[in-house]
Amino acid sequence: MLLSPLLGLFALLVFSSEPLRHQPTEILGATLVVPLLGLCIVCVVRGLHYVGQQHTADGWDDARANDLAHRIRRGQRYQQLLAIGLYTGLRTDQAGAEAQLDAILNGTKVLKAQPSRLGKSTVRHSRLSGDVNEDPERALLCVMKRVLMDLACPLSQVSDDVPLALLLEFDSQLQSNQLHRVWQRAWLESGIRQPLVPIAWSGLDAVDQWLDQRSDDQALLLVVAVQFAPERPEGTAEAAVGLLLGNPVTQTSLPLIANLHRPEQVRGDTADAVLHAVRQALNWVPLEANAVEHVWQVGIGQKHKMAVTSVLNDPMLQLDGSRQLHNLDGLLGHPCRAAAWVAIAAAAQTIQHGAGPQFIFSGESSAKAALWGTVLTPVSVTSK
């Protein structure tokens, strides 16, 4: 800008026919007005450019904020738990669902050395109630019918045309054709009228995927998971569990037991990875760690045991101390593929009896199995 007056004088000298001394007004214009006018034009152009850049930046900020808000809302989706059927070695003909839950909460162990169902060798494990010498298909059919009976009563209040998305998981040394035969007979005798539509997802990944893709679906999610006569019974638990889950947006027919929030998978086997997953699972509610009343552990493999213990003792989370810790692996043994569902059922029944929020660490006890962190809350917590 310092050259502008000189350029103005040069232009006046070149293009003017009169001497400069006879043009004081023109000299003033060339050395002052023209540069000021040029400066104003430059300022206006730069101002318009800045406003355009700022508008673009604000647009990107708004888009990022909206995207983040959408992701958070999607992450905070949850399912309603509507019905439960849970059978472990702690449930017998004399001890029903309430007695089973009391035994679990009181730390009653049923994991012990006893003859296995098929191999008959004595190993440390837990079995579903019944005669170990009973025909295995007959014994499995009996427990499957009981699980479906627990779900049939609530489903009788649901319209017949509401589809049931079926997640069926078996872990057994019985042949697949035997398992299919038992399932078909149990289903036919259950009296449940709604149509079944199998889904491809498995484990807690099914809940995660459902919340992403089918959160506004009219269908209910029916989970049936069974471990029965496992191939390697040492340290395992026979268990059968049935859960009925619905979407808050579409399900209005049945009373609610608890809310199952989005599970968070642990990405790694370090304490930091577990801690990150715990915090994210709590954020999906959202819920402070000190609001958790019960912590459940089930199917924790060797590679995650130390990390989970470290996180439970982390003073920032305070999940230990006054919290009630329930190690289902120590009480029942490993339910393997049914592990997460057994813990969810037990935690939901605890909420049903007046307890507050629950946190679950669950895996499948194998070296390659993923570890998940999951939160269940009473209905009143999420509705606030």
Side-chain angles (χ1 to χ4, degrees), residues 45-62:
V45 171
R46 287 182 62 86
L48 291 174
H49 179 66
Y50 173 79
V51 169
Q53 285 186 318
Q54 186 64 41
H55 181 73
T56 301
D58 289 343
W60 279 107
D61 289 343
D62 290 342

Side-chain angles (χ1 to χ4, degrees), residues 216 221 313 364:
D216 57 351
L221 177 59
N313 293 322
E364 293 179 10

Side-chain angles (χ1 to χ4, degrees), residues 296-362:
W296 302 79
Q297 300 177 67
V298 63
I300 309 298
Q302 287 295 330
K303 72 174 184 177
H304 288 125
K305 277 188 178 179
M306 298 223 15
V308 170
T309 301
S310 175
V311 169
L312 287 174
N313 293 322
D314 190 310
M316 296 296 293
L317 285 180
Q318 300 177 345
L319 286 177
D320 206 340
S322 62
R323 282 24 171 204
Q324 295 192 45
L325 303 179
H326 310 287
N327 185 352
L328 295 181
D329 294 335
L331 302 181
L332 306 172
H334 298 313
C336 295
R337 294 181 67 182
W341 310 116
V342 170
I344 288 171
Q349 288 178 334
T350 306
I351 289 176
Q352 196 174 22
H353 285 72
Q358 319 269 309
F359 192 93
I360 299 171
F361 292 99
S362 65

Side-chain angles (χ1 to χ4, degrees), residues 47-279:
L48 291 174
H49 179 66
Y50 173 79
V51 169
Q53 285 186 318
Q54 186 64 41
H55 181 73
T56 301
D58 289 343
W60 279 107
D61 289 343
D62 290 342
R64 282 193 295 268
N66 291 334
D67 180 66
L68 178 60
H70 172 72
R71 290 174 181 270
I72 291 174
R73 286 194 301 270
R74 187 176 68 178
Q76 291 180 345
R77 292 172 183 169
Y78 60 93
Q79 286 187 287
Q80 299 170 332
L81 194 48
L82 308 172
I84 302 168
L86 175 61
Y87 292 81
T88 70
L90 289 169
R91 185 163 180 177
T92 66
D93 293 337
Q94 295 76 32
E98 300 230 355
Q100 174 181 243
L101 180 61
D102 289 341
I104 291 174
L105 295 179
N106 291 328
T108 303
K109 286 190 177 183
V110 72
L111 179 63
K112 61 184 179 180
Q114 57 186 324
S116 61
R117 190 174 293 276
L118 294 182
K120 301 299 188 295
S121 58
T122 299
V123 293
R124 190 167 176 268
H125 70 298
S126 70
R127 289 197 320 262
L128 292 166
S129 65
D131 186 356
V132 68
N133 297 312
E134 185 179 8
D135 176 72
E137 278 195 48
R138 188 185 189 92
L140 179 57
L141 176 62
C142 180
V143 72
M144 290 296 298
K145 288 169 65 175
R146 290 180 179 179
V147 168
L148 292 178
M149 190 181 302
D150 290 338
L151 305 179
C153 184
L155 281 170
S156 65
Q157 305 173 47
V158 177
S159 175
D160 292 0
D161 59 357
V162 174
L164 300 178
L166 175 64
L167 170 57
L168 181 61
E169 297 193 282
F170 277 112
D171 194 336
S172 174
Q173 62 177 304
L174 294 180
Q175 298 297 316
S176 58
N177 63 325
Q178 292 178 286
L179 298 175
H180 179 75
R181 184 163 58 241
V182 169
W183 166 253
Q184 288 295 326
R185 182 172 174 184
W187 180 257
L188 289 173
E189 295 182 12
S190 69
I192 298 174
R193 304 180 305 274
Q194 288 79 15
L196 283 179
V197 183
I199 61 174
W201 306 312
S202 63
L204 286 177
D205 185 57
V207 176
D208 195 30
Q209 295 292 339
W210 183 279
L211 292 174
D212 281 340
Q213 302 180 31
R214 301 185 63 173
S215 62
D216 57 351
D217 206 309
Q218 295 289 334
L220 301 177
L221 177 59
L222 174 63
V223 178
V224 178
V226 180
Q227 175 160 264
F228 180 83
E231 186 173 355
R232 295 181 180 84
E234 179 66 40
T236 64
E238 286 191 341
V241 58
L243 299 172
L244 186 64
L245 301 164
N247 294 322
V249 178
T250 58
Q251 195 291 127
T252 57
S253 304
L254 299 175
L256 314 182
I257 297 174
N259 291 319
L260 174 63
H261 297 269
R262 182 184 293 274
E264 186 69 23
Q265 184 177 348
V266 176
R267 309 290 180 178
D269 53 9
T270 65
D272 286 342
V274 175
L275 182 62
H276 175 78
V278 170
R279 286 174 171 164

